[in-house]
Amino acid sequence: MSPPPYALGVDTDVTRLRDADHLLRELVNGLGLPGDLVGCTHLVRNGGRPRLALSLATGERAALATARERLVARGHSVTDGAWDDSGRAVLYPGAADLTGTLTVAQVLARSAIDRVRVLGTRDAPDPSVPLVTREFVRPQWEGGALVLAAMPAVGGTLVPFEDPDPTPCCADH
């Protein structure tokens, strides 16, 4: 899937991925955006202040124009276009269908994800390899394709690289 052609950027003061995911879902609720919506988080540094910004992209220009009006009316700072071309996708076609354990082939067939890349390897994983989704699948845009970074796990399975419950830095000391 290539990125939808029309996009909006939404500036935020959010600095944690979990908060950005929540805000993205909250903003999209009630906007009536089409099923091809891709909602991403982007790490941005503007004036030395690192934060997470959001983008909403779709193939329907009119729907995005209406969304822009509603977001501005709610007090959000909105710009045309995505922040960059390497966003982390939270909302994308088929995301809700990626639950439980699926084969790599099923992940690709059920969602807008174009490919799975296993960290530390050059070759694509065998399509029959099970991927334990942990109900948390966040692919990234890489060269115009949605790519899920995965890593080997117990029993010959894969898991998405991004952990849904990461251990905070310095939690043990």
Side-chain angles (χ1 to χ4, degrees):
M1 169 188 190
S2 59
Y6 308 110
L8 295 177
V10 182
D11 203 358
T12 77
D13 288 326
V14 174
T15 58
R16 294 179 351 146
L17 284 173
R18 185 175 294 201
D19 295 338
D21 288 5
H22 179 75
L23 178 59
L24 181 59
R25 284 194 167 89
E26 184 180 293
L27 290 180
V28 168
N29 262 346
L31 288 180
L33 291 167
D36 71 340
L37 172 71
V38 177
C40 293
T41 62
H42 303 261
L43 179 61
V44 295
R45 285 177 170 69
N46 220 355
R49 179 178 65 101
R51 66 191 183 289
L52 292 158
L54 311 174
S55 67
L56 304 173
T58 180
E60 295 185 29
R61 181 183 294 204
L64 217 50
T66 301
R68 176 192 247 292
E69 291 171 9
R70 290 180 181 168
L71 290 168
V72 169
R74 292 182 198 169
H76 296 284
S77 175
V78 180
T79 60
D80 289 326
W83 294 92
D84 56 39
D85 60 358
S86 61
R88 171 184 163 270
V90 176
L91 304 173
Y92 51 92
D97 298 325
L98 301 181
T99 61
T101 299
L102 304 168
T103 65
V104 169
Q106 289 171 316
V107 168
L108 299 175
R110 292 182 183 189
S111 73
I113 296 173
D114 295 298
R115 114 180 141 257
V116 175
R117 179 176 39 85
V118 180
L119 299 178
T121 67
R122 281 194 244 188
D123 299 327
D126 184 293
S128 66
V129 171
L131 186 136
V132 181
T133 68
R134 302 179 297 196
E135 284 66 46
F136 194 84
V137 181
R138 302 291 190 267
Q140 300 242 92
W141 286 111
E142 292 180 12
L146 265 182
V147 179
L148 177 64
M151 58 188 181
V154 175
T157 64
L158 297 173
V159 294
F161 174 71
E162 188 175 342
D163 190 330
D165 297 307
T167 303
C169 179
C170 306
D172 62 346
H173 54 275

